């Protein structure tokens, strides 16, 4: 007899699909309400008179009314489109904790063999532990992993796994929240309460606050790392048009990581 009891994953999937329906309705309403020519979102190509507040501090003019992209999503898509071979070559891509704004764009690319992954989220193609990736060495041409490592207890092991499954001559973009004012990453195993994590790390589910040594941590796993100030390269006019920097937001450099051929 078939069981009618839903699994926990099925319940999560149902909740996720319902939330997406709600988001679609909100998106349609906001696209009309905030339509204008002042700002453009490169992720959905919508144009608006203003963006919406976002974040813990409700930073103004930060979130796209249509696709809900934030500054870092818009910056990363511009970089992927303009500075990488993501849109032009046949590539096998592993995307951890895929941002919806990027997922909806990448999945449509005919040249991409695309796999999305997360520890437990129901919206991905495969659930997996980033510290124990169930693929052979040198499996992927590209890895995208953005704002994930700060949630992982053993981030060094995760970085080594990402390096292991990346093909020689492949590339990865591994972004984290980072405080450029501190030289070394701050983490303390005694900081366990949500209140203290917000106080010291900026968010209740973060396990550390990365500093300027983040590049060194990536290189320790074997990556060659190029840190790119892409916002500066785009210039003030495009930065403002796409709203890549808002009040109280940390501007993100792009951490472009490569694996040299043996």
């Amino acid at each position: 007899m078939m069981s009618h009891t839903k699994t926990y994953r099925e319940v999560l999937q149902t909740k996720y699909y319902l939330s997406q329906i709600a988001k679609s309705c909100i998106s349609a309403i906001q696209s009309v309400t905030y339509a204008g020519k002042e700002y453009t979102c490169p992720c959905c190509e919508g144009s608006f008179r203003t963006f919406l507040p976002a974040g813990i501090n409700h930073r103004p003019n930060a979130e796209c009314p249509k696709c809900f992209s934030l500054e870092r999503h818009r910056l990363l898509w511009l970089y992927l489109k303009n500075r990488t071979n993501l849109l032009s070559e046949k590539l096998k891509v592993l995307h951890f904790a895929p941002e919806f704004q990027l997922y909806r764009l990448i999945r449509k690319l005919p040249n991409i063999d695309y796999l999305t992954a997360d520890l437990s989220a129901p919206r991905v193609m495969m659930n997996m532990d980033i510290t124990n990736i169930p693929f052979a060495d040198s499996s992927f041409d590209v890895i995208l992993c953005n704002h994930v490592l700060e949630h992982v207890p053993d981030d060094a092991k995760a970085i080594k796994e990402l390096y292991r499954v990346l093909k020689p001559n492949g590339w990865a973009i591994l972004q984290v929240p980072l405080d450029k004012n501190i030289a070394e990453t701050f983490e303390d195993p005694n900081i366990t309460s949500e209140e203290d994590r917000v106080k010291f790390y900026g968010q209740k589910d973060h396990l550390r606050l990365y500093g300027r040594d983040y590049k060194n941590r990536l290189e320790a796993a074997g990556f060659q790392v190029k840190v790119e100030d892409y916002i500066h390269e785009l210039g003030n006019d495009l930065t403002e048009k796409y709203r890549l920097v808002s009040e109280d937001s940390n501007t993100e450099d792009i951490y472009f990581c490569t694996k040299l051929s043996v």
Side-chain angles (χ1 to χ4, degrees):
M1 181 180 294
M2 183 179 295
S3 173
H4 294 285
T5 303
K6 284 190 174 183
T7 65
Y8 179 65
R9 178 177 171 81
E10 288 173 333
V11 171
L12 289 178
Q13 285 178 326
T14 300
K15 288 182 177 180
Y16 173 71
Y17 294 139
L18 289 174
S19 72
Q20 291 307 300
I21 293 172
K23 272 194 167 184
S24 296
C25 296
I26 294 171
S27 170
I29 294 170
Q30 291 186 163
S31 296
V32 175
T33 304
Y34 295 100
K37 298 181 179 180
E38 188 71 18
Y39 306 109
T40 298
C41 174
C43 295
C44 66
E45 300 183 342
S47 294
F48 308 98
R49 58 183 173 83
T50 185
F51 282 174
L52 303 177
I56 296 175
N57 298 323
H58 301 285
R59 60 186 184 277
N61 222 1
E63 182 181 87
C64 172
K66 182 178 180 181
C67 73
F68 311 104
S69 69
L70 301 175
E71 304 93 335
R72 62 186 178 89
H73 304 134
R74 297 190 288 272
L75 175 68
L76 184 52
W77 177 244
L78 287 169
Y79 185 89
L80 290 170
K81 184 170 68 170
N82 297 330
R83 294 292 301 275
T84 76
N85 59 352
L86 186 71
L87 278 67
S88 60
E89 297 185 19
K90 286 190 176 298
L91 300 168
K92 188 173 182 180
V93 177
L94 174 61
H95 193 171
F96 271 98
E99 306 87 341
F100 175 75
Q101 297 82 1
L102 300 180
Y103 162 75
R104 58 181 288 275
L105 293 164
I106 297 173
R107 68 175 179 175
K108 297 176 182 177
L109 297 175
N111 59 306
I112 298 299
D113 180 3
Y114 190 42
L115 176 66
T116 60
D118 192 274
L119 180 61
S120 59
R123 58 188 171 82
V124 297
M125 300 172 186
M126 181 181 291
N127 289 130
M128 69 175 73
D129 182 350
I130 195 172
T131 64
N132 187 24
I133 300 173
F135 285 89
D137 296 358
S138 306
S139 291
F140 298 94
D141 300 291
V142 174
I143 297 175
L144 302 174
C145 180
N146 305 308
H147 288 237
V148 173
L149 293 172
E150 67 274 12
H151 301 275
V152 179
D154 192 345
D155 64 330
K157 187 176 180 181
I159 295 168
K160 289 178 181 177
E161 275 291 272
L162 295 172
Y163 180 81
R164 180 184 67 79
V165 299
L166 185 67
K167 292 181 181 179
N169 297 318
W171 56 269
I173 294 181
L174 311 177
Q175 302 291 101
V176 295
L178 186 149
D179 188 343
K180 296 178 183 178
N181 294 315
I182 61 173
E184 296 185 357
T185 296
F186 174 66
E187 54 187 329
D188 182 343
N190 295 313
I191 297 175
T192 56
S193 71
E194 292 184 355
E195 181 181 1
D196 283 344
R197 284 176 174 171
V198 170
K199 178 180 178 181
F200 291 103
Y201 302 147
Q203 195 165 305
K204 64 183 182 180
D205 55 352
H206 288 189
L207 302 181
R208 64 190 60 84
L209 177 61
Y210 288 99
R212 297 193 303 274
D213 64 335
Y214 177 58
K215 178 175 182 285
N216 301 333
R217 295 165 80 100
L218 297 172
E219 290 174 336
F223 284 112
Q224 301 291 307
V225 184
K226 184 177 182 181
V227 183
E228 297 199 55
D229 183 359
Y230 191 52
I231 286 181
H232 180 76
E233 182 177 324
L234 288 170
N236 292 334
D237 290 345
L238 289 179
T239 295
E240 180 62 13
K241 176 184 178 181
Y242 297 132
R243 289 302 295 167
L244 304 180
V245 179
S246 300
E247 289 184 28
D248 299 325
S249 69
N250 292 320
T251 59
E252 286 201 358
D253 293 331
I254 301 294
Y255 282 78
F256 187 81
C257 308
T258 54
K259 182 177 182 178
L260 298 181
S261 59
V262 180

